Amino acid sequence: MVILTGTFKGAIPPKIRGCLLGRKLVAFSEEYAAREGYTSLRLDTYAKNTAALKLYQGLGYDLRGEVNFPGRTASFPVFEKVLG
């Protein structure tokens, strides 16, 4: 099992939001993961990030739970998409 992890705070700069870059990044990640033999992708995002929540749900990611971090006012919903 290989676990890839990273933190991308504000991954899409405000000046270029709305140009489908987030959607393209997710599509690339899914294609790469499938090519490398992964069976699913999991991710989380801040509960107050409504744009990301809408994007992930619209791309077929299912809510699996949530993570809470000390000092944060909201949780981080965790999503998964089964590939293939």
Side-chain angles (χ1 to χ4, degrees), residues 26-53:
V26 172
F28 173 82
S29 299
E30 291 175 0
E31 291 166 11
Y32 177 83
R35 205 171 43 247
E36 294 297 314
Y38 291 88
T39 57
S40 69
L41 285 178
R42 294 183 189 133
L43 55 85
D44 64 70
T45 190
Y46 196 43
K48 293 184 179 184
N49 187 344
T50 55
L53 293 170

Side-chain angles (χ1 to χ4, degrees), residues 4-69:
L4 301 177
T5 183
T7 302
F8 305 101
K9 184 177 180 182
I12 308 299
K15 289 183 180 180
I16 60 171
R17 287 185 187 150
C19 71
L20 305 180
L21 184 57
R23 187 173 296 273
K24 291 175 185 176
L25 286 169
V26 172
F28 173 82
S29 299
E30 291 175 0
E31 291 166 11
Y32 177 83
R35 205 171 43 247
E36 294 297 314
Y38 291 88
T39 57
S40 69
L41 285 178
R42 294 183 189 133
L43 55 85
D44 64 70
T45 190
Y46 196 43
K48 293 184 179 184
N49 187 344
T50 55
L53 293 170
K54 183 178 176 182
L55 172 66
Y56 300 142
Q57 291 172 330
L59 292 174
Y61 284 78
D62 296 316
L63 183 63
R64 298 291 189 217
E66 66 180 27
V67 178
N68 293 287
F69 295 103

